[in-house]
Amino acid sequence: MTIMKKLLTSAIASTMLVGGVQAEISDKAVKIGYLADMSGTYRDLAGPNGEVALKMAIEDFGGEVNGAKIEVVSADDRNSPDVASSTVRRWVENENVDLVAGLVASSVSIAVTDILEQNDRLGIVSGSAASSITNEHCTPNHIHYVYDTYPLANGTASAVVKEGGKEWFILTADYAFGHALEADVTKVVEENGGKVLQAVRHPFPTSDFSSYILQAQSSGADVVALANAGADTTNAITTAGEFGLTQSGQTLAALLLFLTDVHALGVESAQGIQLTTGWYWDMNDDTREWADRFYERTNVRPTMVHAGIYSSTMQYLNAVKATGSDDAQTVRKQMMETPINDMFATNGKIREDGRMVHDMYLAEVKTPEESENEWDLYKIVRTIPGDEAYRPLSESKCPLVTSK
Amino acid sequence: MDMILGVPIAVLAGQLLLGVINGAFYALLSLGLAVIFGLLKIINFAHGALYMLGALTTVVMFDAFGVNYWVSLFLAPILVGFVGVLIEYFLLRRIAHEDHIYSLLLTFGVALVIQGVLTNIYGVSGLRYSMPDVFRGGVNLGFMFLPYYRAWVIVIALLVCFGTWFMIEKTKLGSYLRAGTEDSQLMQGFGINVPLLVSLTYGFGVMLAAFAGVLAAPIYSVSPVMGGNLLIVVFAVVVIGGMGSIAGAVITGLLMGVIEGFTKVFYPEGASAVIFLVMVIVLLIRPSGLFGKEA
């Protein structure tokens, strides 16, 4: 009996001890580093307004967690993995940054997550597209929150193939994101009985697409797919219009379009384009209410990335509060155990590979007659359930999943 | 169909034409740089930003005042050219006797300021500018569909290039310009206002950049960052052609457009590097550039 008692008390004591060590917030502050392209091609889809979204979350949370102050630092990665790496190294090694948020260009995210793993800090990727971030490049130190190339391919490409576009020409941005998207699209097209005739990789960024559009026209493909993003995509769409690509019977599929891109193109030139998105501001009362508050501060409507930054920061802070710790593994585990129900996602869940799985939407750009104002841009055609949208764990190459 | 290296000749003919069109842009921009460097010995790193300013002014004037394309074609270069004169008068003049590197750093700084301020105001997603109605549509050449607007670009760009070359090399005004920068004291002695000539020359080079910007507005995404990447390419063009050579800049511009166009077909991944590769080779073999005078 006494032995049992002793064992029991020592067990309790040791759990408390372990808990006691973990349950504390280092240096009495939770420090979030916001890293994004603040001045280049991807500025508008995340950029300075992403920092606004991040600060909205902190404000709504109350500015502190369990008595520890929440601080924000931010930097411009200029879409350069080198700049990003040195910034994040400084943040985690000298400035005690606990969480790196934002993370837009896929090449930047892949470089940064390596450093986070070496230093055991947490990163939440909101802007990047490459599905490889939670596949071959997965780490136990990051979460990929908003979308990735797998559902983009799954949503848009499968819809276009089913409408009869069997032969494809893919125009790919020549870096990690474009390659991942091209691979995911090729897979979807082939699985649905289509064929990729040619894939051409263009330098990032490119301003003149006329040469590539001409190649696409002479390829004889039914579908010309754009596996690029931002200004590259809008430039390519404008040039395709100028060269009469769709008039000659080819379908143009933009695989990644953000609200800000469609806004820049205008409904006149973008009408009818189908795209896959993780979120749209005008879906329900919750999304509209948040988008209105965002609009008051920024004068623009939020992209899915802005909304994702807000939502993921909220999830993170809730997890820090619940566990009383800012230790990366403790917080990530708590985030994985908590379903996400907010203005961004319904029943979203974070898997062990770091992928946040939630419903995606196939949208179509409204016509000038349908669109009531400059931000009234999409109609949602179909909701793609999360489990169907994202790469199933059975296909995963992530060591965190396969080693189980 | 006849093929060359697995590519149909019809496709190559199309790429050749597109290469010439892109080359016309390079020619206009490198011409402005060459005028400024050739006559004033200023390495104008603000050229890309001033090109962007030409495009942005066109869009903003249309949105705010309904100024149409044809008016913009004259008005935007004049306005931006005036900005150029201000930059010369208030900034560049003060370091005129210093080493070239000072003008390079100064204009680079000016470019960053212009670009940064406008990015803050307009973002980077790009502003819309509709194609003027007369240019809508195009003509089928058999081997490709040529939009009317691209045909217009090549004609007007080459006309402006030729006019500039003619004015500087063949007219009396041009001879004043060349002489004024060669030996300014002597020219001043002849009663010619050399400082004014310098301001106007810089303003003219800037106008050429802004003119290219107006031409670009209907076909490229107009945003504050549009000039940044182009600038480096255009500098390479000027270096290949021979710093300061007016005709060299134009011919090299067209040539590089074509080389880049073919690279986009045979090895698209290398399209952004090919001009720099040519630059390295030219510098190794002929350090003063294809058309430059031996230093």
Side-chain angles (χ1 to χ4, degrees):
Chain A
M1 196 61 197
T2 41
I3 295 171
M4 274 298 279
K5 228 179 195 172
K6 258 186 182 166
L7 268 176
L8 212 64
T9 40
S10 69
I12 290 168
S14 59
T15 4
M16 280 173 70
L17 198 68
V18 172
V21 168
Q22 285 194 344
E24 84 179 18
I25 292 171
S26 58
D27 64 342
K28 299 279 175 287
V30 172
K31 203 160 178 183
I32 303 176
Y34 177 75
L35 187 71
D37 173 10
M38 301 291 248
S39 54
T41 322
Y42 298 153
R43 174 186 179 272
D44 291 357
L45 67 92
N49 288 342
E51 194 179 343
V52 172
L54 180 85
K55 286 180 173 162
M56 277 172 76
I58 295 169
E59 246 175 72
D60 292 352
F61 195 81
E64 56 166 48
V65 49
N66 296 353
K69 211 168 160 303
I70 306 166
E71 294 168 11
V72 178
V73 285
S74 69
D76 186 350
D77 63 31
R78 299 167 56 216
N79 291 327
S80 153
D82 293 340
V83 174
S85 300
S86 58
T87 308
V88 170
R89 207 174 286 276
R90 191 185 76 229
W91 278 353
V92 297
E93 287 174 2
N94 305 335
E95 299 180 23
N96 286 320
V97 164
D98 300 297
L99 171 76
V100 176
L103 296 171
V104 184
S106 297
S107 46
V108 162
S109 298
I110 290 167
V112 165
T113 51
D114 270 354
I115 297 171
L116 294 172
E117 189 180 14
Q118 289 158 21
N119 292 278
D120 199 22
R121 301 293 163 87
L122 196 61
I124 300 178
V125 180
S126 290
S128 302
S131 63
S132 57
I133 289 173
T134 52
N135 202 26
E136 54 265 43
H137 294 295
C138 78
T139 76
N141 288 79
H142 71 269
I143 290 165
H144 196 180
Y145 204 81
V146 178
Y147 71 106
D148 68 36
T149 49
Y150 199 91
L152 295 180
N154 230 341
T156 317
S158 77
V160 173
V161 183
K162 280 171 192 154
E163 280 165 22
K166 295 290 180 199
E167 298 192 321
W168 285 57
F169 176 99
I170 307 179
L171 185 53
T172 307
D174 191 18
Y175 74 104
F177 143 68
H179 300 172
L181 187 50
E182 185 190 300
D184 288 340
V185 168
T186 306
K187 184 169 166 282
V188 169
V189 169
E190 284 168 357
E191 274 172 6
N192 286 284
K195 195 178 144 199
V196 175
L197 297 180
Q198 199 183 348
V200 169
R201 292 180 171 180
H202 70 79
F204 163 75
T206 290
S207 58
D208 185 75
F209 278 89
S210 54
S211 171
Y212 303 115
I213 295 298
L214 201 66
Q215 291 182 50
Q217 284 177 312
S218 58
S219 71
D222 306 319
V223 181
V224 177
L226 305 174
N228 49 19
D232 281 345
T233 309
T234 50
N235 261 324
I237 292 174
T238 314
T239 308
E242 191 197 351
F243 280 79
L245 186 116
T246 47
Q247 282 96 312
S248 55
Q250 289 177 307
T251 304
L252 188 64
L255 296 164
L256 177 53
L257 265 187
F258 292 95
L259 189 75
T260 39
D261 299 328
V262 177
H263 181 254
L265 282 165
V267 282
E268 187 72 45
S269 25
Q271 58 181 305
I273 292 180
Q274 290 198 334
L275 60 108
T276 306
T277 185
W279 186 83
Y280 177 52
W281 70 271
D282 197 10
M283 290 197 298
N284 57 50
D285 289 341
D286 287 347
T287 60
R288 275 186 290 271
E289 189 265 339
W290 186 77
D292 286 344
R293 288 203 291 134
F294 184 85
Y295 188 85
E296 278 169 27
R297 297 177 191 224
T298 61
N299 255 331
V300 293
R301 290 294 181 190
T303 63
M304 60 173 164
V305 177
H306 295 137
I309 289 170
Y310 177 89
S311 164
S312 59
T313 307
M314 222 49 170
Q315 295 303 320
Y316 171 79
L317 293 173
N318 277 323
V320 172
K321 188 179 179 187
T323 57
S325 165
D326 59 0
D327 168 69
Q329 296 311 321
T330 314
V331 175
R332 190 177 187 265
K333 186 163 172 284
Q334 173 70 21
M335 288 177 79
M336 280 168 59
E337 283 164 2
T338 321
I340 298 159
N341 284 298
D342 59 5
M343 43 47 101
F344 181 75
T346 311
N347 284 325
K349 59 173 188 289
I350 297 166
R351 300 191 309 208
E352 59 258 50
D353 60 352
R355 180 65 252 169
M356 201 282 263
V357 172
H358 62 109
D359 294 351
M360 298 289 289
Y361 307 92
L362 183 67
E364 190 177 303
V365 178
K366 289 186 172 179
T367 63
E369 293 75 43
E370 290 167 329
S371 169
E372 286 174 11
N373 60 60
E374 61 168 333
W375 292 103
D376 181 19
L377 296 170
Y378 297 171
K379 52 189 175 209
I380 303 296
V381 181
R382 190 169 94 85
T383 301
I384 311 162
D387 291 327
E388 188 189 309
Y390 286 94
R391 174 183 286 117
L393 284 177
S394 57
E395 289 176 19
S396 177
K397 286 185 219 150
C398 169
L400 298 172
V401 179
T402 51
S403 64
K404 272 197 166 175
Chain B
M1 208 188 296
D2 291 331
M3 311 270 260
I4 293 176
L5 296 171
V7 180
I9 285 182
V11 173
L12 287 183
Q15 296 296 345
L16 180 69
L17 186 57
L18 284 178
V20 173
I21 297 169
N22 283 336
F25 271 104
Y26 290 157
L28 261 186
L29 286 165
S30 52
L31 178 65
L33 277 181
V35 166
I36 292 173
F37 183 79
L39 299 175
L40 310 179
K41 304 287 177 250
I42 292 168
I43 301 174
N44 187 30
F45 250 74
H47 217 64
L50 294 161
Y51 156 80
M52 171 271 286
L53 217 50
L56 202 68
T57 309
T58 306
V59 176
V60 171
M61 285 196 308
F62 178 79
D63 287 348
F65 310 107
V67 176
N68 75 26
Y69 176 79
W70 301 105
V71 177
S72 289
L73 213 48
F74 288 94
L75 196 56
I78 289 172
L79 289 174
V80 179
F82 184 67
V83 172
V85 170
L86 293 181
I87 293 172
E88 199 284 328
Y89 186 81
F90 286 107
L91 301 171
L92 285 168
R93 181 159 297 187
R94 285 157 209 278
I95 55 160
H97 301 291
E98 306 289 341
D99 192 79
H100 297 335
I101 192 81
Y102 285 87
S103 64
L104 185 154
L105 289 173
L106 178 69
T107 49
F108 185 53
V110 168
L112 289 181
V113 170
I114 295 177
Q115 188 175 312
V117 168
L118 292 172
T119 300
N120 237 3
I121 302 172
Y122 296 105
V124 296
S125 293
L127 304 168
R128 256 167 296 171
Y129 187 73
S130 309
M131 182 73 72
D133 283 335
V134 284
F135 290 124
R136 279 177 199 273
V139 53
N140 199 332
L141 300 176
F143 57 89
M144 72 174 283
F145 177 88
L146 178 67
Y148 293 131
Y149 190 78
R150 302 265 172 169
W152 155 252
V153 164
I154 188 164
V155 170
I156 189 72
L158 291 182
L159 273 178
V160 169
C161 287
F162 177 78
T164 304
W165 171 82
F166 188 82
M167 187 185 78
I168 291 173
E169 301 288 346
K170 303 287 171 197
T171 65
K172 198 161 186 181
L173 176 67
S175 68
Y176 284 166
L177 273 177
R178 282 177 288 136
T181 49
E182 197 83 6
D183 191 336
S184 59
Q185 283 187 336
L186 188 69
M187 286 303 281
Q188 215 126 26
F190 283 132
I192 289 169
N193 186 347
V194 174
L196 179 70
L197 216 53
V198 169
S199 285
L200 292 180
T201 308
Y202 186 78
F204 179 73
V206 169
M207 280 176 76
L208 286 173
F211 186 77
V214 183
L215 287 183
I219 46 176
Y220 297 143
S221 175
V222 177
S223 82
V225 292
M226 70 189 285
N229 295 308
L230 201 56
L231 176 74
I232 306 298
V233 175
V234 172
F235 256 106
V237 170
V238 175
V239 171
I240 295 168
M243 290 297 281
S245 165
I246 308 280
V250 176
I251 297 168
T252 315
L254 293 171
L255 200 65
M256 289 305 114
V258 172
I259 289 180
E260 195 186 49
F262 283 140
T263 313
K264 284 176 178 170
V265 182
F266 291 111
Y267 184 60
E269 290 90 336
S272 60
V274 67
I275 291 180
F276 300 103
L277 187 67
V278 174
M279 183 178 86
V280 170
I281 295 169
V282 167
L283 284 180
L284 283 175
I285 297 171
R286 232 185 113 81
S288 55
L290 292 178
F291 299 87
K293 298 176 196 86
E294 291 294 337

